[in-house]
Amino acid sequence: MPNQNSSSFQSNQTTSSSPDFNLSLSERAFAAAGAAFLSALIVNPLDVAKTRLQAQAAGVPYQNLHSTCRFEPNTMLHDTKCFPQYKGTVDVFQKVIHEEGFSRLWRGTNASLALAVPTVGIYMPCYDILRNYMEAYTSQNAPSVTPYVPLVAGSVARSLACVTCYPVELARTRMQAFKDGQHGTKLPGVWKTLVGVVSADTNTNTNTNMKNLNSSFRSFRFLWTGLGAQLSRDVPFSAVCWATLEPVRRRILGMWGGHETCGVGVVVGANFAAGFVAGVVAGASTCPLDVAKTRRQIEKDRVRALRMTTRQTLVEIWRDGGMKGLFTGVGPRVGRTGPSVGIVVSFYEVVKYALHTYTTQD
């Protein structure tokens, strides 16, 4: 028999398998921010490994290692392109720990937290509200469209979160991609990284281009360099993720007899399992777009960074590395997105329930 709290949890669940407690936007944002904080701390080392592998494939060499190099004039970074020195995720961990120290596996964590808390704080509540509203509307007026509601709601919510918080995402990628400084030295934080993006010298060869840049893009446009690639990755990721998560969550809960017989623990477990599966599927399917996003964010030539499109970037990645190039870092990416989505979704539902219980007792 489920206890009284479990019954309260069940009675507030909607057809989307996610409980609707009629919480305020600020309460939903608080629940999402807590979930994002926990997830960012746990999975950051995998994010570092993924970014280092993708940066290496783009031509950013691992320092302090001797390797044979060849010059690639047509690569994304117009820089020295070295044969791979990172051999995989475990090799990244070993080299980072040995050369830079164990704490460097959490390089960019401040940026991750500064990004994850507001991003998920916008993303999850907006998804929740949009999904509930759209499901209520379509169930009455267009039932055949209702199964596609999670896909649309997830895409819209993610777009809003991405545009709002993008500069911090740019800083995080650059902080994780480059090994600047020696062991024991203090590396630039989020603010200094963003200042460097705005004030960095360009490698263009003509004074005309420099003059045009200085006059046209002084209004911090560079802080949104690669936003198109970010949206090209995150919107499909969110669409695939929620379109997978909702039916999987319903199926798992159905295996336990439906909402009426499920306790709180089962509902939390169902959310984590569904989130994990959805994160793996979405992370793997959008990996080429993630590689393109990383390449555009670490591009050093400012003129090229502004003119390059996601499609052109994908073509260059294919030309340089084929299918393997498009799926560079897929292992740590999937290893990160699976538990990350599972943690965020399950923790979010727990905190929502706790807030609901606290407010109703008052």
Side-chain angles (χ1 to χ4, degrees):
M1 289 288 293
N3 57 32
Q4 183 177 359
N5 288 340
S6 298
S7 299
S8 175
F9 189 92
Q10 297 148 9
S11 63
N12 284 283
Q13 288 190 314
T14 67
T15 57
S16 65
S17 303
S18 177
D20 183 10
F21 296 126
N22 295 319
L23 297 176
S24 68
L25 180 61
S26 60
E27 289 172 326
R28 293 174 190 269
F30 176 79
F37 183 88
L38 179 63
S39 175
L41 287 178
I42 294 174
V43 303
N44 196 79
L46 286 167
D47 209 30
V48 171
K50 178 207 65 137
T51 305
R52 289 286 182 97
L53 288 169
Q54 292 177 350
Q56 176 180 267
V60 178
Y62 181 79
Q63 299 179 19
N64 298 338
L65 286 177
H66 299 288
S67 63
T68 304
C69 297
R70 57 191 173 89
F71 183 69
E72 293 280 3
N74 296 320
T75 56
M76 290 287 298
L77 299 180
H78 296 290
D79 203 351
T80 301
K81 172 107 173 183
C82 296
F83 293 111
Q85 294 116 354
Y86 289 131
K87 299 176 182 178
T89 305
V90 175
D91 192 46
V92 174
F93 290 157
Q94 291 175 342
K95 284 185 169 69
V96 169
I97 292 171
H98 177 71
E99 296 288 336
E100 305 171 54
F102 184 77
S103 63
R104 294 292 172 86
L105 290 176
W106 275 265
R107 172 71 172 147
T109 300
N110 289 341
S112 294
L113 293 175
L115 172 70
V117 171
T119 299
V120 179
I122 295 170
Y123 176 43
M124 293 294 290
C126 286
Y127 169 77
D128 240 2
I129 294 169
L130 281 171
R131 183 205 59 209
N132 291 340
Y133 173 79
M134 293 173 68
E135 282 186 342
Y137 179 83
T138 57
S139 62
Q140 295 293 326
N141 299 282
S144 62
V145 179
T146 303
Y148 303 101
V149 164
L151 186 149
V152 176
S155 299
V156 173
R158 192 64 188 179
S159 297
L160 178 61
C162 276
V163 173
T164 305
C165 305
Y166 182 76
V168 182
E169 166 67 26
L170 177 64
R172 182 183 68 163
T173 300
R174 286 180 170 250
M175 290 169 70
Q176 292 177 341
F178 302 116
K179 180 196 170 187
D180 41 7
Q182 301 298 319
H183 177 66
T185 62
K186 186 176 180 180
L187 299 178
V190 178
W191 176 251
K192 285 188 177 181
T193 301
L194 291 176
V195 170
V197 171
V198 175
S199 60
D201 291 331
T202 183
N203 293 324
T204 56
N205 295 321
T206 64
N207 292 330
T208 302
N209 284 339
M210 280 288 293
K211 185 177 180 180
N212 290 338
L213 278 172
N214 289 332
S215 61
S216 302
F217 303 116
R218 194 170 291 174
S219 59
F220 301 97
R221 180 179 171 183
F222 289 109
L223 294 179
W224 276 266
T225 300
L227 175 61
Q230 178 83 12
L231 289 171
S232 297
R233 181 201 69 170
D234 279 15
V235 172
F237 177 91
S238 185
V240 172
C241 183
W242 289 110
T244 304
L245 188 148
E246 294 289 3
V248 171
R249 178 162 57 184
R250 290 192 190 97
R251 178 65 62 88
I252 295 175
L253 290 172
M255 292 170 59
W256 289 83
H259 303 159
E260 292 75 15
T261 58
C262 289
V264 177
V266 173
V267 174
V268 172
N271 276 281
F272 180 83
F276 186 93
V277 172
V280 168
V281 173
S285 61
T286 59
C287 186
L289 296 169
D290 184 61
V291 176
K293 186 234 23 155
T294 300
R295 287 210 178 187
R296 292 195 64 192
Q297 288 178 334
I298 64 176
E299 172 62 62
K300 295 179 180 179
D301 188 322
R302 299 177 79 182
V303 173
R304 182 179 173 83
L306 289 172
R307 293 177 178 174
M308 202 68 181
T309 66
T310 301
R311 179 182 174 278
Q312 290 172 326
T313 305
L314 289 169
V315 170
E316 289 200 0
I317 295 169
W318 172 265
R319 185 188 64 203
D320 292 343
M323 188 64 70
K324 183 178 179 181
L326 290 173
F327 285 88
T328 301
V330 66
R333 174 165 169 76
V334 168
R336 174 194 181 281
T337 55
S340 177
V341 175
I343 291 169
V344 167
V345 173
S346 57
F347 190 88
Y348 177 63
E349 298 297 341
V350 169
V351 176
K352 278 171 56 181
Y353 170 66
L355 288 172
H356 170 71
T357 302
Y358 178 77
T359 54
T360 53
Q361 287 177 347
D362 289 345

